[in-house]
Amino acid sequence: MVKLVLVLGDQLSPNLSALCEADPSSDVVVMAEALGEAEYVPHHPKKIALIFAAMRKFADRLRGEGWTVRYYLLDDEKAPKTISEALLRTAEEVGTSEVICTQAGEWRVTDDLANLPLTVTTLPDDRFIATDQEFQSWAEGRKQLRMEYFYRDMRRKTDLMMDGDQPAGGQWNFDHDNRKAPPKEITFEGPLRFEVDGTVEDVLNLVEDRFGDNFGDLRPFWFATDAEQANEHLTHWIKYGLPQFGDFQDAMVLGQPHLYHAHIGLYINIGLLDPLEVCQAVEEAWKNGGAPINAAEGFIRQIIGWREYVRGIYLLEGRDYVNRNGLGHSRDLPGMFWGKKTWMACIEDAVGQTEREAYAHHIQRLMVTGNFALLAGIDPYQVHEWYLAVYADAFEWVEAPNVIGMSQFADGGVVASKPYVSSGNYIDKMSNYCKSCSYKVKVKTGPDACPFNVLYWQFLLRHEDKFRGNPRMAQMYRVWDMMNEERRKTVLSDAETWLARMDAGETV
Ligand code: FAD
Ligand code: DLZ
Ligand code: SF4
């Protein structure tokens, strides 16, 4: 019997397990631009355009390789609204009931496929380095699931940057070299930008028409949309960005969205680049003297460590993970996350570039927008939906553990051993934002005080029962305990006043 081979918008890899299992001479590939996928959160228009353009080009590539592809265009009058509908319709047309798919990246899609009245064979997604079973066995019986130990296993498994069974350079982790303050001069001009071709232009017109009101600028659109371009992008970054990637990994510079970051998550996550091959290319550059060890190790750790680890957590923790709210936060996400004016230079820059580029780098996501949402006590589900919508690389399996776990501590400490919170000091040390801010980072109370300064203490006090006993937070509570009573009262009332103004919709 003919089989349908489902290829989802983030499965655009020629060696996808479902494609490897099928027969191009008889089986039919199904791809669908589905409104349901485009609308389950209000995705950034650049993200939708990236996925649709890359899907169209991948379908052409498969046809060129001899596959029969049933591709549903979103603007077809009778376009199916969901992936399930596309499969059911094609099954009827072709006269089959058999579907092969590769495990989807989201529980939502996995469940939809499992509920189809068709025979669906699901294959593992072997584009990941760790199998589901490997992660489960690693996690079993451990009290704490710390990424660092998992990462070492992945180094051994891939043999990346290893000297026999020992890490190259005698250390597993060179993170202490990767926290330099922002550079005065930036020598990397940023990611390669690609010309809009006919396929991309068609998609841009469609996205403009159907999703033009979503938060985010569609144009100028310059992303890579096929494997060839993504590889060009990678080669360019390895040559010009990687050498300084490690040093300035945690730095933030006003008006510089990418610094030395790879801008590669979006391409890996939809299958245009293979994570292991990307790491091998980086290792090669290091071996040839094209990058220092702290840059190469730091980058490889993000991919075979963090990226694999968060996927393992997503699968392990199950469907309910995105609803966790361990700190009981319930404030609504304020307008400044959707571009409303704020006087906070750091938030304005991080949100502004998110609006323009569907991108922010890790420290902006964690220590600016994430830190703010956590300190302000925003409902973590709303924070989760925001991150899932606005970043071009956001898919729930990777976004949720980063947001619900690492950033919002809503999972009660599965991912992080303590909340990632800081006062304005950290942002001042790692960026040049505070120099141009209307607030004063050195001022601790009063109308000019940096909001992070007062919200930080209010957060610690709000959750004293949970965190005072955490040895990694003891120092913070000691500082609070040493503050005089009058000062403490002022800090707390300033925090309340500021939050009330924000909740009332004032520009803060
Ligand atoms: P680089 O800094 O150049 O890093 C290289 C690669 O390492 C990334 O492309 C990514 O594949 C991987 N990586 C680095 N850190 C992580 C991490 N914590 N988890 C998983 N992979 C990692 N990453 C996503 O891919 N999708 C998301 O939706 C996403 N949401 C995030 C939300 C929050 C609150 C935080 C704190 C982090 C999030 N991350 C997410 C992780 C990380 O911020 C992005 O992968 C990174 O910023 C992408 O930019 P880049 O490709 O320039 O990364
Ligand atoms: C994110 C996304 C979007 C916007 N559109 C589509 C689409 O039209 N068709 C499709 O197959 N996939 C799309 N995707 C990616 C899916 O949402 C993704 O496969 C699931 O979220 C699982 O990771
Ligand atoms: Fe952000 Fe505070 Fe610095 Fe302003 S002063 S940029 S609000 S950290």
Side-chain angles (χ1 to χ4, degrees):
M1 190 186 258
V2 172
K3 295 188 187 85
L4 303 185
V5 188
L6 175 65
V7 176
L8 292 166
D10 54 354
Q11 297 183 336
L12 310 178
S13 311
N15 59 352
L16 191 74
S17 53
L19 288 168
C20 293
E21 190 69 16
D23 182 350
S25 68
S26 55
D27 295 333
V28 176
V29 172
V30 178
M31 297 178 72
E33 294 169 8
L35 198 61
E37 292 309 304
E39 278 189 344
Y40 68 95
V41 286
H43 299 285
H44 194 296
K46 271 199 170 82
K47 177 182 183 184
I48 304 179
L50 166 73
I51 292 171
F52 285 6
M55 283 175 70
R56 289 183 186 190
K57 290 187 179 185
F58 189 70
D60 284 346
R61 174 183 173 158
L62 291 179
R63 285 192 191 101
E65 288 167 6
W67 289 93
T68 304
V69 182
R70 181 75 175 94
Y71 190 99
Y72 293 96
L73 293 162
L74 186 99
D75 49 358
D76 265 1
E77 226 171 76
K78 291 185 189 142
K81 298 269 185 297
T82 62
I83 304 287
S84 298
E85 210 182 313
L87 283 170
L88 286 170
R89 195 182 296 175
T90 322
E92 200 175 314
E93 272 170 24
V94 172
T96 185
S97 60
E98 295 212 14
V99 178
I100 314 180
C101 66
T102 293
Q103 181 184 7
E106 269 183 38
W107 290 115
R108 181 182 58 82
V109 181
T110 303
D111 293 345
D112 284 352
L113 294 175
N115 288 331
L116 278 172
L118 299 169
T119 308
V120 181
T121 306
T122 304
L123 301 166
D125 191 343
D126 55 15
R127 298 172 300 167
F128 289 93
I129 290 152
T131 65
D132 302 2
Q133 290 73 21
E134 256 170 344
F135 190 84
Q136 272 167 28
S137 317
W138 173 80
E140 226 164 66
R142 281 176 197 258
K143 257 172 103 182
Q144 289 196 316
L145 303 179
R146 294 293 157 251
M147 192 285 296
E148 183 62 30
Y149 298 109
F150 171 74
Y151 163 58
R152 293 179 191 180
D153 285 356
M154 293 301 102
R155 284 277 290 280
R156 292 188 191 97
K157 179 171 181 180
T158 56
D159 205 31
L160 284 162
M161 297 186 79
M162 296 294 290
D163 277 338
D165 60 355
Q166 292 302 310
Q171 275 169 235
W172 290 104
N173 182 319
F174 288 81
D175 222 13
H176 56 81
D177 297 336
N178 289 2
R179 295 189 185 126
K180 291 206 171 69
K184 297 244 158 3
E185 192 198 350
I186 298 155
T187 53
F188 177 49
E189 286 176 4
L192 266 194
R193 292 169 175 254
F194 295 89
E195 295 280 325
V196 169
D197 59 26
T199 305
V200 176
E201 187 56 38
D202 287 350
V203 166
L204 293 183
N205 290 330
L206 166 73
V207 173
E208 203 152 50
D209 183 36
R210 302 291 292 271
F211 309 101
D213 291 340
N214 288 11
F215 172 79
D217 299 348
L218 176 63
R219 298 174 200 262
F221 183 90
W222 50 269
F223 294 166
T225 46
D226 60 32
E228 209 182 349
Q229 290 181 339
N231 270 300
E232 241 184 278
H233 162 89
L234 171 66
T235 307
H236 179 262
W237 174 75
I238 288 182
K239 189 160 178 199
Y240 300 108
L242 173 65
Q244 311 248 54
F245 167 82
D247 288 355
F248 301 113
Q249 202 177 337
D250 286 2
M252 299 175 281
V253 178
L254 191 81
Q256 293 288 338
H258 302 98
L259 282 184
Y260 293 96
H261 289 270
H263 191 261
I264 216 166
L266 72 176
Y267 303 142
I268 300 179
N269 292 350
I270 64 170
L272 299 187
L273 291 173
D274 177 76
L276 185 58
E277 286 173 13
V278 168
C279 292
Q280 286 162 342
V282 165
E283 181 190 39
E284 195 59 25
W286 163 68
K287 279 187 178 159
N288 295 335
I293 195 163
N294 66 310
E297 187 282 319
F299 181 81
I300 286 173
R301 174 159 29 88
Q302 306 309 312
I303 306 255
I304 68 168
W306 279 112
R307 186 171 184 274
E308 295 285 327
Y309 168 86
V310 297
R311 177 168 184 270
I313 296 285
Y314 182 72
L315 294 176
L316 196 70
E317 294 295 315
R319 291 160 177 77
D320 146 67
Y321 189 73
V322 296
N323 297 311
R324 305 234 180 126
N325 189 356
L327 298 177
H329 285 171
S330 59
R331 176 165 271 114
D332 284 337
L333 195 71
M336 65 180 87
F337 276 74
W338 300 110
K340 181 179 183 302
K341 173 74 191 157
T342 168
W343 302 117
M344 290 185 279
C346 53
I347 296 274
E348 188 170 51
D349 189 63
V351 173
Q353 72 168 63
T354 299
E355 184 167 14
R356 285 188 300 278
E357 308 288 14
Y359 178 83
H361 67 70
H362 187 70
I363 294 300
Q364 293 173 308
R365 296 188 205 195
L366 186 63
M367 297 311 292
V368 177
T369 42
N371 185 14
F372 179 80
L374 179 56
L375 292 180
I378 314 282
D379 169 10
Y381 193 82
Q382 292 187 36
V383 182
H384 147 70
E385 285 199 309
W386 182 78
Y387 277 95
L388 189 56
V390 301
Y391 291 112
D393 55 29
F395 299 88
E396 197 177 272
W397 65 265
V398 51
E399 171 276 331
N402 272 298
V403 173
I404 297 290
M406 188 190 299
S407 163
Q408 299 302 296
F409 208 78
D411 66 0
V414 176
V415 169
S417 55
K418 74 173 185 57
Y420 280 95
V421 283
S422 80
S423 66
N425 249 348
Y426 174 86
I427 296 174
D428 191 32
K429 195 172 103 201
M430 296 314 299
S431 78
N432 63 358
Y433 288 143
C434 304
K435 290 189 177 72
S436 60
C437 187
S438 307
Y439 293 107
K440 306 266 176 294
V441 73
K442 302 282 182 230
V443 177
K444 309 293 181 197
T445 55
D448 287 342
C450 163
F452 283 87
N453 291 344
V454 287
L455 295 178
Y456 175 72
W457 292 118
Q458 200 236 25
F459 171 87
L460 288 181
L461 216 62
R462 223 165 56 222
H463 297 299
E464 198 173 4
D465 56 330
K466 294 192 183 64
F467 300 130
R468 193 179 263 280
N470 183 328
R472 298 189 59 204
M473 298 178 76
Q475 173 59 19
M476 301 168 184
Y477 283 100
R478 272 197 291 276
V479 174
W480 174 255
D481 292 343
M482 283 183 324
M483 247 184 238
N484 75 49
E485 187 61 28
E486 203 50 38
R487 174 82 178 261
R488 284 196 227 164
K489 274 194 197 146
T490 313
V491 168
L492 294 180
S493 91
D494 281 3
E496 291 302 338
T497 308
W498 194 89
L499 287 171
R501 289 180 51 221
M502 180 181 82
D503 289 343
E506 280 183 42
T507 299
V508 284

